[in-house]
Amino acid sequence: MPKQTFILNGKPVTVNVKDDVRVLWVLRDLLGVTGPKYGCGINVCKACTSHINGKAFNPCSVRVGDLGRDDEVTTIEGLPDTVGQDLHPMQEAWIDRDVPQCGYCQPGQIMAAVALVKKVRREGREIRDADLDTIRNICRCGTYTRIREAVVQGARGMA
Ligand code: FES
Ligand code: FES
């Protein structure tokens, strides 16, 4: 069985698993990191949204064999460490706006929000309504209005 090594939430991890196993299953079933949720498994629902090298990705659609040993995967569990705080400003905004209902989609929503804010900052601007429209994460509970408010508030808290 091939050895797969990558960086997970700041620390190198190695697992023995075939190349074509998707990263979501490696995270959840082999490494016990369950923040990224399994919804569709085919890159549609976005419940598993996490970050790779600081950008949003959906680990249900990436083969673990395609990760290099220097690739940094960050899940909701590792998000606060990226800012050296107990909670990331986006998580604080989520609590402040009382966003979740059942909660299932919310780790992915937060990870998508942080990646989106970083993306628009790289483009040298602040987040706009049209940017919020690009978030494709499905919420079966329909929390979309509060998500949009929280993303704007969380963006204000991000350095
Ligand atoms: S489980 Fe990954 S996008 Fe649906
Ligand atoms: S809060 Fe229930 S799926 Fe979004």
Side-chain angles (χ1 to χ4, degrees), residues 100-106 139-141 143:
Q101 288 193 26
C102 81
Y104 196 82
C105 72
Q106 300 293 333
C139 176
R140 62 192 171 186
C141 301
T143 62

Side-chain angles (χ1 to χ4, degrees), residues 19-27 41 59-64:
D19 284 349
D20 61 355
V21 173
R22 303 299 161 117
V23 174
L24 182 60
W25 280 263
V26 172
L27 295 176
C60 70
S61 64
V62 174
R63 299 161 69 255
V64 67

Side-chain angles (χ1 to χ4, degrees), residues 34-155:
T34 55
K37 298 298 184 241
Y38 168 49
C40 65
I42 53 169
N43 201 16
V44 172
C45 73
K46 313 295 182 190
C48 64
T49 305
S50 301
H51 295 173
I52 184 162
N53 303 323
K55 297 185 179 163
F57 88 122
N58 289 98
C60 70
S61 64
V62 174
R63 299 161 69 255
V64 67
D66 290 339
L67 293 183
R69 57 192 310 117
D70 295 331
D71 281 326
E72 295 196 28
V73 173
T74 306
T75 68
I76 190 81
E77 287 89 344
L79 186 63
D81 281 349
T82 64
V83 290
Q85 294 172 17
D86 290 342
L87 283 178
H88 189 280
M90 196 61 76
Q91 292 172 297
E92 300 270 17
W94 240 251
I95 293 168
D96 201 46
R97 295 280 168 167
D98 200 13
V99 177
Q101 288 193 26
C102 81
Y104 196 82
C105 72
Q106 300 293 333
Q109 301 280 9
I110 291 171
M111 296 306 279
V114 171
L116 180 63
V117 172
K118 285 186 174 174
K119 175 175 169 286
V120 301
R121 294 265 172 88
R122 282 197 297 274
E123 293 167 8
R125 56 192 184 80
E126 294 301 315
I127 198 147
R128 301 191 283 246
D129 263 0
D131 299 309
L132 297 174
D133 292 343
T134 67
I135 297 178
R136 287 284 175 258
N137 296 52
I138 293 168
C139 176
R140 62 192 171 186
C141 301
T143 62
Y144 298 111
T145 305
R146 294 200 300 281
I147 287 170
R148 294 173 78 94
E149 292 170 356
V151 177
V152 172
Q153 181 175 327

